[in-house]
Amino acid sequence: MNNQQAIKEKPAIKDKPVIKAKQVTNRGEEDYIKAIYKLSDEAEGDRVTNHQLVTYFAHTAQTVNEMVRKLEKKKILVYQPYKGSLLTALGKDEAVRLIRAHRIWETFLTEKLGYAWEEVHEEAEMLEHLTSSKLADKLYAFLGAPTVCPHGNYIPVLSDMNRDDLDTCGRLKLSKAKKGKQYCLKGVVDDKALLVYLNGLAIYIDLCFTIIERDLISDIVTLAYGGRNTSLSGAVAQKLFVCEVYDAEDNT
Amino acid sequence: MNNQQAIKEKPAIKDKPVIKAKQVTNRGEEDYIKAIYKLSDEAEGDRVTNHQLVTYFAHTAQTVNEMVRKLEKKKILVYQPYKGSLLTALGKDEAVRLIRAHRIWETFLTEKLGYAWEEVHEEAEMLEHLTSSKLADKLYAFLGAPTVCPHGNYIPVLSDMNRDDLDTCGRLKLSKAKKGKQYCLKGVVDDKALLVYLNGLAIYIDLCFTIIERDLISDIVTLAYGGRNTSLSGAVAQKLFVCEVYDAEDNT
DNA sequence: ATATATTTTAAGGTTAACCATAAAAATTCA
DNA sequence: TGAATTTTTATGGTTAACCTTAAAATATAT
Ligand SMILES: [Mn+2]
Ligand SMILES: [Mn+2]
Ligand SMILES: [Mn+2]
Ligand SMILES: [Mn+2]
C-alpha cells in the first residue's frame, strides 16, 4: 500500500517492531533460585525444603513443588523428595549473579540517588531481573567497585562465584557476641521493618558499641553506644552481623 | 513448630515473604500505550489504526484487537472500529510517563555508564516499566535535569504532560530542509540500525552541515560537513530532526 | 508397629499475553 | 451498485505462574 514493493533491495532501514523480551529465566524462577541460595545457609546439609520455600514466598505447596520440579528439569538444582533442593554449580552462578545485581542496584540507589536504606530492596528486587552482566559491570565500575551494599552485605565478584560463605565471611551474628566486648556493626539483614526499627534506634552500619548485658534466659542483648543503652531481642540480634573491635577506642 | 505460638504479641520483626509485583499496567499494555502515543503523531486525526499496531509490533490482528479492547475497558483509550484508537487524558499521561522514564534511562546509560547511543534503547525499553515516579525524578535530578536523551529527543517534564508536539517542538525533518541552507542535527529516531549507520558516517547530535543537493526525483539529500559530502535517502532524512543555523559560522 | 502429622503430587482451574483459523462486517474500487 | 479487499471478531489454543481440593506417600512419635 505504499511506495516500494518491487524495489525490495538491501535490508533497508525501516521501522522495526519493538523487541521482545526473551530471557532464559524469568522473575519467578530467578526469585526461587535466590531464595534457595539464601535459605541454604541456615538449613542443615545445605538442602532447602519445599516447606521453607512455602513460608518464604507464601506460595502453596503445589506451586513450590511445580517450580522446584521445573528448575530441576533445567539443571539448576537437584531435588530429593522429603529432603529438599540443592543448587547445582549452574544454579549457584545464577544466584550469585542475581545477588550481585541486587546489591549493586541498592548501592546505586542509596549512594547516587539518595534513597534511604529501607527503601531500596523492593526496587532492587525488580531491577535485578533486567540486569545483564554488561549493565551490572558498568554500574559496578561507576560506583567505584564497592565491596558492600547499603546493608553491609558483600557484593560478590566473579571470583566469589563458588564461595559458600558469602554472607558470613569474617562476621559474627550479634546474637553470638559476648558481654563486655566491643563490636562494630558490619551488616544487617535487608528487611524493611528491621531497617526502620534500626533507624529509630540510631543504629547503622559501622556503629561501634559495647555489649553491657547478655540475658540468655530472656534472650536479650543490651548495647551501649552514643551515650545510650539499647536492648534488642535475640531475634533481632540474629539479623545483625558484627566484627569484634580490639583496640578499645572511645566511642561515646 | 517453633518457639512462639502462644506469645503472639506485636507485629514482630520476622522473615517477610518476597514482595509481589503488583502494578496497575504491565509491560505488554504499557508498550501498547507508548506505541499508540508515538504513532498518533503521523496518523490522520491522531487516530491509530489496529493495522498500524499490527505492523509496529508484528502481532496478529487478533492480539491487537484484544489489547485495544482491554485498554478501552481501562479508560486508557477510545476505540472506534475501522477508525482507530485515541488516547484519553489518562492514556496520554501514562505514555508521557513512560517516554520520560525511557529517555531518562537512556541518558543515564550513556552519560554515566558509557553506553553507545545505539545500545541503550533495548535496556531502556525494559527499565521504563519498573520506574516509579520517585525513581524517575531522582534519576532525573541526578543527571542534572537534562532536556534531551542521547538521540536528541526531549525528556518531557510534568508540565509537558498534555503537549502534543513533544517530538517535533521547534525542529524540522531533514527531509523538509532546503538546499543551500545550514542546519544543526538536533534529534534522530531511536532505531538501532539507523544509529549504527550514522556512526559510520560520523553523524551525531549537534553536528552542523550544509545541504548542497536536494534531489526530489530520487529523493536524496546531500550534506557537506567535516570536509566530506554524504548522501542520504529520503527515508533516512525523515528520521533526522534539525534546526536551521542562521549565523553562518565556519564548520569544516 | 501403628497412628498421626507432614510432605508430595494428581487433577483441574484462573489470568495474561500471545497464537491460528475462519466467519462477519465495513470500506473501497470499478 | 456490486465485487474485491480490508478490518474486525468469534472460537479455540498455548504457556507461564499462580491457585484449590484432595489423595497418596513418607516421616515421626507413642
Ligand atoms: Mn535487598
Ligand atoms: Mn527479585
Ligand atoms: Mn529509545
Ligand atoms: Mn518497553
Side-chain angles (χ1 to χ4, degrees):
Chain A
M1 60 287 285
N2 48 18
N3 34 347
Q4 71 268 60
Q5 56 243 89
I7 317 160
K8 193 176 280 176
E9 292 169 345
K10 296 284 162 61
I13 288 159
K14 51 155 203 203
D15 278 327
K16 292 268 246 344
V18 168
I19 45 109
K20 322 230 170 191
K22 186 61 154 295
Q23 287 159 255
V24 192
T25 51
N26 17 37
R27 185 172 180 183
E29 291 176 22
E30 289 183 346
D31 281 339
Y32 267 77
I33 295 170
K34 276 206 319 174
I36 293 167
Y37 184 87
K38 285 182 181 171
L39 292 170
S40 69
D41 269 350
E42 325 280 344
E44 85 294 337
D46 273 336
R47 280 213 210 76
V48 177
T49 66
N50 284 6
H51 179 69
Q52 284 179 287
L53 294 168
V54 163
T55 58
Y56 184 79
F57 284 114
H59 284 174
T60 61
Q62 180 62 359
T63 295
V64 166
N65 194 50
E66 284 167 12
M67 290 298 267
V68 163
R69 290 303 195 173
K70 179 166 26 152
L71 293 175
E72 192 189 27
K73 230 167 250 158
K74 290 195 177 183
K75 308 284 183 202
I76 280 164
L77 54 79
V78 175
Y79 172 63
Q80 264 196 282
Y82 300 95
K83 299 294 175 182
S85 298
L86 201 58
L87 289 181
T88 61
L90 177 63
K92 274 185 202 166
D93 283 359
E94 271 296 282
V96 173
R97 210 203 78 225
L98 290 161
I99 288 167
R100 174 174 155 80
H102 183 100
R103 292 182 183 165
I104 286 173
W105 277 115
E106 290 187 333
T107 305
F108 171 71
L109 294 172
T110 51
E111 297 283 303
K112 300 294 184 182
L113 300 194
Y115 273 72
W117 73 344
E118 75 271 17
E119 294 175 319
V120 296
H121 182 78
E122 278 107 328
E123 306 268 18
E125 199 60 43
M126 310 175 73
L127 292 166
E128 63 189 5
H129 304 288
L130 303 186
T131 309
S132 62
S133 299
K134 175 182 178 177
L135 178 52
D137 290 345
K138 291 203 179 235
L139 258 176
Y140 183 69
F142 177 62
L143 294 170
T147 54
V148 294
C149 81
H151 315 103
N153 300 312
Y154 290 96
I155 295 175
V157 292
L158 289 178
S159 50
D160 290 328
M161 276 308 194
N162 279 314
R163 278 179 59 180
D164 280 328
D165 60 338
L166 259 189
D167 279 310
T168 29
C169 34
R171 300 174 307 168
L172 186 74
K173 281 184 181 173
L174 175 57
S175 49
K176 297 272 198 291
K178 299 219 178 78
K179 178 174 173 179
K181 289 194 170 167
Q182 215 179 103
Y183 296 93
C184 179
L185 183 67
K186 283 300 179 183
V188 309
V189 168
D190 179 11
D191 173 75
K192 189 168 193 161
L194 174 67
L195 297 170
V196 170
Y197 176 68
L198 296 178
N199 284 344
L201 297 171
I203 292 173
Y204 43 82
I205 298 293
D206 285 334
L207 174 74
C208 290
F209 51 79
T210 305
I211 300 200
I212 58 170
E213 192 57 56
R214 184 73 245 259
D215 177 342
L216 290 169
I217 304 302
S218 290
D219 198 18
I220 286 175
V221 196
T222 306
L223 323 175
Y225 59 92
R228 68 196 280 180
N229 293 351
T230 298
S231 293
L232 300 175
S233 73
V236 167
Q238 261 196 303
K239 297 184 173 179
L240 306 188
F241 301 95
V242 296
C243 286
E244 198 173 335
V245 176
Y246 294 102
D247 47 331
E249 280 162 26
D250 184 40
N251 66 309
T252 33
Chain B
M1 62 288 286
N2 49 18
N3 34 347
Q4 72 268 59
Q5 54 244 90
I7 318 161
K8 192 176 280 173
E9 293 170 345
K10 296 285 162 61
I13 288 158
K14 51 153 201 204
D15 278 326
K16 293 269 247 343
V18 168
I19 46 111
K20 323 230 168 188
K22 185 63 154 297
Q23 287 159 256
V24 192
T25 51
N26 16 37
R27 185 171 179 182
E29 292 175 20
E30 288 183 347
D31 281 338
Y32 268 75
I33 295 171
K34 276 207 318 175
I36 293 167
Y37 183 87
K38 284 182 183 169
L39 293 170
S40 70
D41 269 350
E42 326 279 343
E44 84 296 336
D46 273 333
R47 279 215 210 74
V48 177
T49 66
N50 284 5
H51 179 69
Q52 284 178 285
L53 293 167
V54 163
T55 57
Y56 185 78
F57 284 114
H59 284 175
T60 61
Q62 179 62 0
T63 296
V64 166
N65 195 49
E66 284 168 10
M67 290 297 269
V68 163
R69 290 303 196 173
K70 188 186 352 173
L71 293 174
E72 193 190 26
K73 229 167 252 160
K74 292 195 177 185
K75 308 285 184 199
I76 280 164
L77 54 80
V78 174
Y79 173 64
Q80 264 196 282
Y82 301 93
K83 299 296 175 180
S85 298
L86 199 59
L87 289 180
T88 60
L90 177 64
K92 275 185 201 166
D93 283 359
E94 271 296 281
V96 173
R97 210 203 77 225
L98 290 161
I99 289 166
R100 173 173 156 81
H102 183 100
R103 293 183 183 166
I104 286 173
W105 277 115
E106 290 187 333
T107 306
F108 171 70
L109 294 172
T110 50
E111 297 282 305
K112 300 295 183 182
L113 301 193
Y115 273 71
W117 74 343
E118 74 272 17
E119 296 175 318
V120 296
H121 182 80
E122 277 108 329
E123 305 269 19
E125 200 58 44
M126 310 174 72
L127 291 166
E128 63 189 8
H129 304 288
L130 303 186
T131 309
S132 61
S133 299
K134 176 181 176 178
L135 178 52
D137 290 344
K138 291 203 180 234
L139 259 175
Y140 183 70
F142 177 62
L143 295 170
T147 54
V148 294
C149 81
H151 314 104
N153 299 312
Y154 291 96
I155 295 175
V157 291
L158 288 178
S159 50
D160 289 328
M161 274 309 193
N162 281 313
R163 277 179 60 180
D164 281 328
D165 60 339
L166 258 190
D167 279 309
T168 28
C169 31
R171 300 174 306 169
L172 189 71
K173 281 184 181 172
L174 174 57
S175 49
K176 298 273 196 297
K178 300 219 179 78
K179 178 174 174 178
K181 290 195 171 167
Q182 214 181 104
Y183 295 93
C184 180
L185 183 67
K186 285 298 181 184
V188 309
V189 168
D190 179 10
D191 173 74
K192 189 168 192 161
L194 174 67
L195 298 170
V196 170
Y197 177 69
L198 296 177
N199 285 344
L201 297 172
I203 291 173
Y204 42 82
I205 297 293
D206 285 333
L207 174 74
C208 289
F209 50 81
T210 305
I211 300 199
I212 59 171
E213 192 58 54
R214 182 69 182 105
D215 176 343
L216 289 170
I217 305 303
S218 289
D219 198 17
I220 285 175
V221 197
T222 305
L223 323 175
Y225 58 94
R228 68 196 281 180
N229 293 352
T230 297
S231 292
L232 300 175
S233 73
V236 167
Q238 261 195 304
K239 297 183 173 183
L240 307 187
F241 301 95
V242 297
C243 285
E244 198 173 336
V245 176
Y246 294 103
D247 48 330
E249 282 163 27
D250 184 41
N251 67 309
T252 31

